C-alpha cells in the first residue's frame, strides 16, 4: 500500500438540481418515510500531490444538453480556471464510470492517463458496437474521448484493487454501472473514499438504500456494503458523489464563497 503522498482533495461543483427523495431512492415507499426535496450537486474532484494534479471525473456541458433539468453552475473549463488547473497539466483522470455527467469534458485532458474499470469499458463499448445506446445515460459522442485515450495508449483499465498512483487505490464495483470505480485516497488527515455514483447521497451510505438508476440492483447493494466495510477497515471518510450536504460538512476553498470549490482533505 502506498504512503500518504496526496496534499489535497477538493470537490468542484459544476451543476445542480433539486430532486424528490421518492424519485432518486429505489422503491422509497417501502421505508414508510415522508417524501421531500434533496439538493443534488454535480461535481468533479481535484487531487493534488507535491508533483501532480489528478482528477476524478470531468463533468459535462449542461448548456449543450440538460439531460434531467440540471442547472449549470460553472462549466468544467471555468471550474478548472477557478482552481488554477490547466487541463493539459493533468496527469491522470480516474473516470468513475461512463455516464454523461462524469466524462463529458474528458477530451480536454489530452495528456492524462485515463483510469477506468474493465467491466465499464466492455459494457459501454459493447453497447456502442451493438448500437444499443438509445435511452442510456451516455452517448456514442461521450465515448469518443475514452476511445481516443485508448488509441493514444493512455487508457488504463483495472479489474481489481489497484494502486494507480502513490496513495490512490481504485476499486471496481457494480450496480449503478457494471464497472464503476471508487477511489481510496491517503491524505494527511486520514483516508478518504470518493464514491462517485456508487453512492450518490449520504442516505445510501447510512441505510444502504439503492439509487433508482442501476444495471444490477443486487450489485448496487453489494457495492454499498463494500464501501461501508472498506471505510470501516481503513477508518476512512466517504464522500458521496452528488450530495449537496458535502459542501456544508466541509469548508470552502479559501477565497471562494463556497458555492463551487470545497476542501475535502
Ligand atoms: Zn452522476
Amino acid at each position: 500500500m502506498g504512503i500518504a503522498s496526496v496534499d489535497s482533495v477538493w470537490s468542484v461543483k459544476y451543476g445542480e438540481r433539486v430532486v424528490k427523495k421518492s424519485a432518486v431512492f429505489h422503491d422509497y415507499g417501502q421505508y414508510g418515510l415522508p417524501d421531500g426535496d434533496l439538493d443534488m450537486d454535480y461535481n468533479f474532484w481535484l487531487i493534488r500531490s507535491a508533483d501532480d494534479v489528478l482528477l476524478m471525473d470531468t463533468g459535462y456541458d449542461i448548456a449543450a444538453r440538460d439531460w434531467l433539468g440540471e442547472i449549470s453552475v460553472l462549466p468544467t473549463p471555468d471550474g478548472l480556471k477557478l482552481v488554477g488547473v490547466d487541463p493539459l497539466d493533468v496527469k491522470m483522470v480516474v473516470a468513475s464510470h461512463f455516464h454523461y455527467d462524469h466524462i463529458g469534458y474528458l477530451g480536454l485532458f489530452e495528456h492524462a492517463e485515463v483510469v477506468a474499470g474493465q467491466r465499464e469499458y466492455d459494457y459501454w463499448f459493447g453497447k456502442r458496437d451493438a448500437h444499443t445506446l438509445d435511452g442510456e445515460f451516455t452517448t456514442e459522442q461521450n465515448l469518443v474521448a475514452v476511445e481516443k485515450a485508448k488509441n493514444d495508449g493512455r487508457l488504463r483499465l483495472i479489474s481489481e484493487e489497484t494502486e494507480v498512483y502513490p496513495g490512490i487505490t481504485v476499486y471496481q464495483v457494480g450496480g449503478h454501472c457494471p464497472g464503476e470505480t471508487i477511489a481510496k485516497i491517503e491524505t494527511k488527515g486520514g483516508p478518504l473514499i470518493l464514491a462517485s455514483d456508487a453512492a450518490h447521497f449520504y442516505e445510501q451510505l447510512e441505510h444502504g438504500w439503492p439509487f433508482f438508476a442501476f444495471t444490477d440492483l443486487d450489485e448496487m447493494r453489494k457495492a454499498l456494503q463494500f464501501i461501508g466495510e472498506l471505510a470501516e477497515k481503513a477508518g476512512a471518510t466517504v464522500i458521496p458523489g452528488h450530495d449537496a450536504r458535502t459542501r456544508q460538512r466541509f469548508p470552502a476553498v479559501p477565497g471562494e464563497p463556497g458555492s463551487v470549490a470545497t476542501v475535502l482533505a
Side-chain angles (χ1 to χ4, degrees), residues 97 101-102 176 197 200 242:
H97 61 306
D101 55 323
H102 294 262
H176 179 57
D197 287 7
H200 290 66
H242 283 274

Side-chain angles (χ1 to χ4, degrees), residues 88-118:
L88 295 179
D89 291 340
V90 171
K91 172 102 171 170
M92 176 185 288
V93 175
V94 178
S96 70
H97 61 306
F98 292 168
H99 280 181
Y100 69 99
D101 55 323
H102 294 262
I103 56 167
Y105 280 105
L106 187 61
L108 292 180
F109 305 92
E110 291 177 26
H111 302 155
E113 180 176 35
V114 176
V115 173
Q118 177 76 55

Side-chain angles (χ1 to χ4, degrees), residues 177-220:
C177 273
E180 175 148 12
T181 48
I182 63 168
K184 178 163 70 69
I185 305 172
E186 303 298 333
T187 79
K188 293 180 178 73
L192 193 74
I193 294 171
L194 295 180
S196 194
D197 287 7
H200 290 66
F201 292 104
Y202 283 107
E203 283 88 346
Q204 297 180 261
L205 298 166
E206 287 156 10
H207 312 300
W209 292 353
F211 191 69
F212 81 96
F214 48 78
T215 55
D216 188 317
L217 183 56
D218 291 330
E219 286 294 318
M220 179 176 280

Side-chain angles (χ1 to χ4, degrees), residues 137-203:
F137 288 110
T138 202
T139 64
E140 212 172 311
Q141 185 58 34
N142 286 138
L143 298 173
V144 166
V146 179
E147 186 156 58
K148 169 104 175 27
K150 182 169 198 286
N151 292 339
D152 290 351
R154 293 182 290 111
L155 180 65
R156 180 175 180 187
L157 297 173
I158 64 116
S159 298
E160 55 191 17
E161 174 178 345
T162 305
E163 189 174 46
V164 293
Y165 185 88
I168 305 179
T169 304
V170 166
Y171 306 79
Q172 186 176 227
V173 299
H176 179 57
C177 273
E180 175 148 12
T181 48
I182 63 168
K184 178 163 70 69
I185 305 172
E186 303 298 333
T187 79
K188 293 180 178 73
L192 193 74
I193 294 171
L194 295 180
S196 194
D197 287 7
H200 290 66
F201 292 104
Y202 283 107
E203 283 88 346

